Amino acid sequence: MSEHPELICAYLLDGKGRGERLDWLAANGWTPAKGSIWVHLDGNEENTEAWLREHSGLDSFVIDGLTASETRPRCESFGDGILLILRGVNLNPGADPEDMVSLRIWIDEHRVISTRLRRLLAIDDVRQQLATGKGPLSTGHLVARLAASMTDRMGPVIDNLSDQVAELEDYLIGDDGGGKVDLREVRFKLINFRRVAISLRRYITPQRDALNRLAQLEEPWLNERVQGRLRETVDRVTRITEELDEVRERSAIVQDELVNRISHRMER
């Protein structure tokens, strides 16, 4: 077991798309003169908060945001940096996607400090990019990549939900009135789909607002290229929000049809 389990990974960015993996000692000995750094910490470890308070130099309000047990997506400026809270779908084995995983990020010109409570596959995506020399070039670019990867991984989940509602609609339409369709099964699935859509939208809507605010902030390390990437991600999040609204609307239509079918069977 690692002597410092609070450290999941740390990288020194070379500004060309590659990152040098750092151990705990090297991460602690970092200075801005050495380049930009990304430190990713496990929020479940008690030493994480202690290190943040003793060695990070961050404001206590920022540290509270990085270590809070419950968070909602938001973007707030503090001095020369930004606190960004994001949520991603839970793709861990056996988990419900709507049980969204939080990523808490501090960004300034030379540092990104991120914390998580559960594994987030978007982190693995960016680590792989750094290992192959196709990673982010700066701290702002790193956060833009993380946000884009989290959004990309939402897409298939939302598409699958939409397809399932469409299949349920077709299944219900296939009822000729002879009782071939199990209306109780339809009702159970319908309730679940609406619950998932509402749960996802609860976090995705404020996430769009947080990323939109980040894209509009005027910071020297948030250059035009990074802001452009963030705006693209905001557009994708907006489309995901619209798809969730469509799922809810189609579910309502299926619900009305379900009520009609139940009434018809009772009359018969």
Side-chain angles (χ1 to χ4, degrees), residues 21 27 42 45 48 53-54 69 72 76 89 91 100-101 103 129-130 143 152 156 177 182 197 202 207 215:
R21 184 79 181 268
D42 187 344
E45 298 291 335
T48 293
R53 297 197 182 279
E54 295 172 11
S69 58
R72 286 178 62 82
E76 298 181 31
V89 291
L91 299 177
M100 301 188 78
V101 181
L103 180 65
Q129 293 166 11
L130 288 169
V143 173
D152 289 342
D182 187 341
R202 176 188 175 196
Q207 182 138 313

Side-chain angles (χ1 to χ4, degrees), residues 41-158:
L41 301 169
D42 187 344
N44 296 298
E45 298 291 335
E46 60 181 21
N47 288 336
T48 293
E49 183 173 354
W51 181 84
L52 287 170
R53 297 197 182 279
E54 295 172 11
H55 300 287
S56 70
L58 297 176
D59 186 281
S60 60
F61 290 105
V62 174
I63 296 173
D64 290 343
L66 291 173
T67 57
S69 58
E70 291 294 332
T71 58
R72 286 178 62 82
R74 70 180 193 272
C75 176
E76 298 181 31
S77 297
F78 289 89
D80 61 352
I82 296 168
L83 175 65
L84 180 67
I85 310 294
L86 299 177
R87 287 267 184 159
V89 291
N90 192 344
L91 299 177
N92 292 305
D96 294 325
E98 70 272 18
D99 182 20
M100 301 188 78
V101 181
S102 64
L103 180 65
R104 307 92 184 279
I105 311 170
W106 167 259
I107 327 148
D108 60 36
E109 185 175 2
H110 301 291
R111 289 187 302 177
V112 172
I113 299 176
S114 56
T115 64
R116 58 84 160 158
L117 298 179
R118 289 173 289 179
R119 184 184 177 193
L120 193 63
L121 295 182
I123 296 292
D124 297 340
D125 293 340
V126 177
R127 293 179 67 178
Q128 180 63 27
Q129 293 166 11
L130 288 169
T132 57
K134 300 179 181 179
L137 310 179
S138 65
T139 56
H141 194 196
L142 171 60
V143 173
R145 285 282 185 92
L146 286 170
S149 183
M150 293 172 72
T151 303
D152 289 342
R153 287 188 174 273
M154 289 181 191
V157 173
I158 308 303

